Amino acid sequence: MIRKYLALLLALALSLTLAACGDSAAAIPGSQDGTGDFQKNMHQAQGFGCWLTDICETDSGFYFNYGRLYFLEKGTNRATIVCGKPDCDHTTGSCNACISSESLWHYGDKLYFIADDFEIVNEKRVEHGRKVFSVNMDCTGRKAVQDLDFEAGGDTTFVVSQPVFHRGNVYFVYCDTLYRVPLGADVDEAQVVWAPEPQEEQTMFGYPVLSGNEPSYKLWGDGDLMYFMVNAPQPDGSYRDTLFSHDPESGETSELWVIPTAEEVGPWEFGDSGDSGIIGASATLDQWYILEGYVYFFLSMNGLWRYGLETGEYEKLSDTTEKAEYGTALFDDERMWLLNDGPASLNGRLSVGSPIRVGGDTVFVYGLDGELQKELSLKPLTDEVAVSGYFLLFASGDELYLMADAGTVEDSAPIEQDGYVVSGTQKTPRNILCSLNMETGSITRIAEFDH
């Protein structure tokens, strides 16, 4: 997605209503020891459609950014706006919890996020570049701690690739090149991790045009190594998602794996025959997860697989089509959670390969050995509200967290139109944050958001 478009969407998300908000002065953990390791299970969110992708975990709960920064307490599932400013109503940009971030992590006794820094001078926005900010655990004491742009406004990257933090280093993309830099160090100390082969920029009316082949990175950390998946060119001229590893100690970057062809694993929904609608785009994995020398991945219309990074061998762990013809998956260190949603209908036909997902009434829980562990019904929620689809966010312990697209809410407040106040109703989209417990099968409605 285009960075400026994403920023606009995030800004639009500031209007919200919490079903379980409570007092902003509620107890928030003041100091915890972050490990510094990349939190794998917090980087699975398929939440762009609901604008919730920045999440990090602490011992006592989860922080997430949904137009405002929230803390979700473990055990109680109570969501609270993290402001720390007395008498703040959390409706303006002066609220401490108002952050527009590209990434979010916890380290030591601070929260960190990445955002564009700017100021308004003579009614004009003056850019100071992308920076890493730190805040206290109650969102007070905001401080810029690091620049991530070599030149303010100089980043020509057209596709957003979320920066990440792993074992003391910030990994970020600038002008399509992946860099790493120690947290807090000068950006000029950043080292190149990987750079694509230069291509001639395509423009229209003087503006860059998305061709489908711009590098889109997904960054990952496991153990001592950093990994990244990028759509890299192949010898036959095609582009395929390709996995690399990077050793920050030696500085060595190695190509490990190119995602399989249908000849290797069979066809799947987003495979070579899928139509992404973007010229030049290629097959992509539905979802993947690196753990202890294996890549676990899910293929809709196919199944759960793993690939040995040392052995170079594929193993099909489960044919998930026995339970769900299509599906969307999310992993943690022990399980795969599979929602039986599917492609949207377009002009009466299924739009197979489309990122737009609809429906779903059951979550199937598989162990990473491929064994089916549980079938969890979403019917208790859909009996209460009309849900058109779900966004899987993250799993921790026995809980899966997801956002339900619950249609619209009618607002009968007066509307100003052409200078006149008129009566009438307007419809506002509504999302409901929920948790699903694997052991009990219970669904908890945590918070309700209008956006």
Side-chain angles (χ1 to χ4, degrees), residues 365-417:
V365 186
Y366 292 83
L368 293 187
D369 58 0
E371 292 295 319
L372 179 64
Q373 297 180 350
K374 281 290 182 72
E375 296 185 20
L376 306 173
S377 175
L378 296 173
K379 196 171 185 297
L381 177 64
T382 55
D383 282 347
E384 298 178 1
V385 294
V387 177
S388 61
Y390 299 89
F391 304 99
L392 301 184
L393 300 176
F394 64 93
S396 179
D398 292 332
E399 297 278 341
L400 172 69
Y401 293 84
L402 62 166
M403 190 77 86
D405 183 349
T408 59
V409 179
E410 288 194 355
D411 183 1
S412 59
I415 303 172
E416 184 174 334
Q417 187 177 51

